[in-house]
Amino acid sequence: MKDKIEALRSKFSSELKTVADLSSLEELRQTFMSKKGAIQDLMKELGKIPNDQKKDAGQMINSFKQEVNEHFEARKKELEELALKALLDHTESYDDSMPTGNPCGSYHPITLIQRELEDIFESMGFDVEDYNEIVDDYNCFEALNIPKFHPARDMQDTYYLTTPNQLLKSHTSAAQNTIMRKYGDKLKKYGRPIRAVFPGRCFRNEAIDACHENTFFQMEGVMIDKDISISNLIYFMKTMLSEVFERDVTVRLRPGFFPFVEPGFELDIQCLICGGDGCPSCKNSGWLELCPCGMIHPNVLKHGGINSEEDPFEYTGFAFGLGLTRLAMMKYGVGDIRVFNDGDLSALSQFVSR
Ligand code: PHE
């Protein structure tokens, strides 16, 4: 027994020296300590030796087992420390000559103005809705009383996808039909007025210059209930604009043509720079054109499932299409629309929300 232990001891110590990582250490531990390992074999042999030698042999096996265990633990600790050191040596590499700059990003001015408007409209009971950028011809035009080949389509030439009937929305009005279908039931069953705003990116086939972009933002709003009139429209527009510009604004309505509203208007605000006297920013007229709007056309309400054939005027409503990009230009005094899309951070990072 003594010889066998001795042979195992030298085998063990020479193999331990070759172990370089934790997993081969574990393998070695198995060959000695597992149920089928070398020490267990010794225990089996213990049964075969004469009784008077058993005690000594047993003690020898036990102390060998202890010895093996201690060596394992010591080597394990060593290897763990080495692994940690290697990790620290390799991972902690940073360049302290890198400029730190501004660690926080900033919001895009359109995002700022959009959020501000969402808060204002939410405080007046409007739902804020999200809508697709890819829409179909029906939602973008036909449901809005713009039949195929109607000349009004010329004003909104956009980008058509190769998938038939799919296009990039040319105005946020493209969501009107969906909103009417979403909330129409609640209006009719429970008398809950439809009040919703839906901001979104719009696209048009435009030649780009300081005042025109092929990609811009609008915020559409609709309100539908019994007896909604132009005075409701004026009230909401005026309240919203006074909040945005943080002062009382004077508005006026001029007739404007859009097939999906009747009557349709262009809403102007009195120039905030000259107070209406006339200056270069309002082209000496004293007014700035801001927001097309109007009373929703009966055909649009019919397409949206709001009114029936029998009572085409049961519900009425207004709609407006606020140019978010234009509003941001006015509010932040940005003279060139291209600033918003060209990704120049030195320009875009100067805006902060109030
Ligand atoms: N959708 C129209 C446009 O983009 C604007 C508009 C919206 C006009 C709602 C009237 C009512 O030109």
Side-chain angles (χ1 to χ4, degrees):
M1 179 62 72
K2 204 172 169 194
D3 294 346
K4 278 194 180 147
I5 293 181
E6 213 40 65
L8 277 179
R9 180 177 281 124
S10 64
K11 181 174 181 244
F12 171 69
S13 63
S14 71
E15 282 185 18
L16 189 66
K17 277 183 204 137
T18 65
V19 162
D21 58 60
L22 288 163
S23 74
S24 22
L25 182 69
E26 178 57 22
E27 262 171 46
L28 184 60
R29 202 182 69 84
Q30 295 284 338
T31 32
F32 279 82
M33 311 287 266
S34 71
K35 279 184 186 155
K36 290 179 182 163
I39 292 182
Q40 197 55 33
D41 290 345
L42 292 178
M43 295 300 271
K44 278 181 202 152
E45 277 183 37
L46 195 61
K48 293 179 205 156
I49 62 173
N51 274 350
D52 58 338
Q53 294 170 24
K54 264 196 183 129
K55 195 175 164 212
D56 283 353
Q59 272 172 359
M60 276 193 295
I61 298 176
N62 265 341
S63 65
F64 175 56
K65 193 175 167 184
Q66 219 174 352
E67 192 186 314
V68 168
N69 240 335
E70 278 163 15
H71 279 100
F72 272 124
E73 288 309 318
R75 184 71 182 140
K76 190 174 170 204
K77 221 171 141 197
E78 243 171 59
L79 287 172
E80 279 172 352
E81 275 166 15
L82 278 172
L84 186 67
K85 191 170 176 304
L87 199 69
L88 290 176
D89 284 351
H90 284 95
T91 50
E92 215 34 67
S93 64
Y94 77 95
D95 180 356
D96 60 8
S97 66
M98 287 266 284
T100 52
N102 178 0
C104 304
S106 60
Y107 285 111
H108 192 280
I110 305 277
T111 307
L112 291 175
I113 200 118
Q114 178 182 322
R115 290 187 177 180
E116 200 175 321
L117 284 167
E118 285 174 4
D119 285 349
I120 295 170
F121 279 110
E122 268 176 338
S123 76
M124 299 195 284
F126 281 70
D127 296 300
V128 178
E129 293 287 329
D130 196 11
Y131 195 62
N132 311 348
E133 289 177 356
I134 297 175
V135 297
D136 60 14
D137 188 274
Y138 176 78
N139 279 286
C140 201
F141 299 121
E142 284 190 52
L144 291 165
N145 201 29
I146 312 177
K148 286 207 162 59
F149 310 113
H150 191 286
R153 289 198 179 203
D154 278 357
M155 296 191 292
Q156 302 210 3
D157 187 18
T158 180
Y159 301 94
Y160 288 78
L161 308 195
T162 43
T163 325
N165 206 25
Q166 301 282 291
L167 47 120
L168 298 184
K169 72 166 185 269
S170 56
H171 54 172
T172 41
S173 307
Q176 279 193 18
N177 189 267
T178 308
I179 302 289
M180 287 178 202
R181 299 215 164 262
K182 181 171 174 186
Y183 291 112
D185 268 0
K186 287 194 184 122
L187 171 69
K188 284 183 259 178
K189 270 196 206 146
Y190 311 115
R192 178 189 189 268
I194 301 180
R195 275 180 291 194
V197 286
F198 22 110
R201 197 193 314 258
C202 304
F203 307 85
R204 280 187 206 175
N205 181 12
E206 292 275 6
I208 298 176
D209 61 28
C211 312
H212 299 89
E213 248 293 359
N214 56 21
T215 307
F216 56 95
F217 290 80
Q218 289 186 337
M219 182 183 263
E220 187 92 359
V222 292
M223 176 164 186
I224 304 168
D225 197 0
K226 289 201 165 135
D227 302 323
I228 295 292
S229 71
I230 297 170
S231 43
N232 298 111
L233 167 65
I234 296 173
Y235 168 79
F236 279 104
M237 293 291 94
K238 220 174 124 84
T239 311
M240 178 272 291
L241 291 170
S242 302
E243 285 280 324
V244 172
F245 291 105
E246 298 168 61
R247 64 182 105 159
D248 239 2
V249 295
T250 310
V251 300
R252 75 171 183 192
L253 292 181
R254 282 180 295 120
F257 172 70
F258 304 93
F260 35 95
V261 282
E262 182 58 43
F265 308 106
E266 290 288 355
L267 183 136
D268 300 337
I269 59 169
Q270 199 164 56
C271 179
L272 297 169
I273 296 169
C274 62
D277 295 341
C279 71
S281 17
C282 59
K283 296 193 192 112
N284 282 317
S285 70
W287 295 92
L288 291 163
E289 186 179 314
L290 194 69
C291 179
C293 53
M295 300 307 292
I296 303 175
H297 194 287
N299 286 351
V300 177
L301 289 169
K302 203 160 76 189
H303 273 293
I306 299 291
N307 285 335
S308 59
E309 275 310 338
E310 298 77 53
D311 192 356
F313 294 101
E314 185 181 0
Y315 295 97
T316 50
F318 66 75
F320 59 87
L322 195 62
L324 277 188
T325 305
R326 172 172 269 250
L327 196 62
M329 288 172 82
M330 281 166 78
K331 180 163 168 137
Y332 296 117
V334 177
D336 189 328
I337 197 170
R338 290 167 289 199
V339 165
F340 294 122
N341 287 352
D342 74 2
D344 176 359
L345 290 185
S346 62
L348 291 175
S349 61
Q350 351 168 10
F351 304 98
V352 282
S353 139
R354 69 169 148 122

